[in-house]
Amino acid sequence: MRREQIKEYALFGSWVVSLIATAGSLFFSEVMKYIPCELCWFQRIFMYPLVILLGVAAAKKDYHMSSYALILSVIGGCISLYHYLIQKVPALNDLGTACGIIPCNTDYINWLGFITIPFLALVAFIMIAVLQVFIRRYEKES
């Protein structure tokens, strides 16, 4: 497979991941009526622009946008990791009660005992970040 194709698939794949994550977040809040906590809002702040940024980048095949997408995904991933730790680490659980109207340690979903909404966001941010690293690596080699 050509390097150009790999970059194109990675960029498109990143956009798909961000689109699914955004649709999932909107599903949980608008359909399931789960009220997002403050940390969920911060994660959304970093995920939602990725849909537009990566969508435009994929359409134009603009691989230089991967730097911006990488920054957004790393910051969003750090927030997701912190949020997940608040939910799952008993020593940090008390930090979630001071999070606002909805406590950040609330588990709306807990599939298989470890999959929560912040975990899903973290996986999406990691996938996007890894794909952006591939794009940047292949871009530098070109």
Side-chain angles (χ1 to χ4, degrees):
M1 191 180 308
R2 294 186 349 241
R3 290 186 190 278
E4 195 67 27
Q5 271 186 317
I6 292 171
K7 290 190 301 188
E8 189 175 334
Y9 289 150
L11 196 55
F12 181 74
S14 302
W15 175 72
V16 169
V17 169
S18 69
L19 188 63
I20 291 169
T22 299
S25 121
L26 291 172
F27 172 79
F28 284 132
S29 63
E30 300 302 318
V31 176
M32 300 299 292
K33 302 296 182 192
Y34 298 155
I35 300 169
C37 70
E38 298 231 353
L39 288 175
C40 288
W41 279 113
F42 284 113
Q43 291 166 70
R44 288 176 175 205
I45 287 168
F46 289 95
M47 182 61 74
Y48 288 11
L50 286 172
V51 175
I52 297 167
L53 181 78
L54 293 169
V56 170
K60 290 185 167 188
K61 296 181 183 171
D62 183 0
Y63 305 114
H64 299 291
M65 290 296 218
S66 67
S67 299
Y68 306 115
L70 182 60
I71 291 167
L72 287 173
S73 60
V74 167
I75 295 170
C78 289
I79 295 168
S80 296
L81 178 62
Y82 175 68
H83 192 182
Y84 186 67
L85 291 174
I86 286 175
Q87 288 183 332
K88 294 299 178 184
V89 176
L92 299 176
N93 206 285
D94 290 340
L95 295 174
T97 57
C99 199
I101 298 170
I102 303 298
C104 290
N105 55 9
T106 302
D107 285 346
Y108 283 121
I109 65 169
N110 194 13
W111 300 330
L112 303 175
F114 71 96
I115 300 174
T116 63
I117 295 172
F119 180 81
L120 294 171
L122 177 60
V123 169
F125 281 123
I126 289 172
M127 290 173 67
I128 293 168
V130 167
L131 289 170
Q132 298 317 301
V133 168
F134 276 122
I135 292 169
R136 289 175 51 86
R137 191 179 85 191
Y138 285 130
E139 190 67 19
K140 284 182 182 177
E141 290 176 4
S142 297

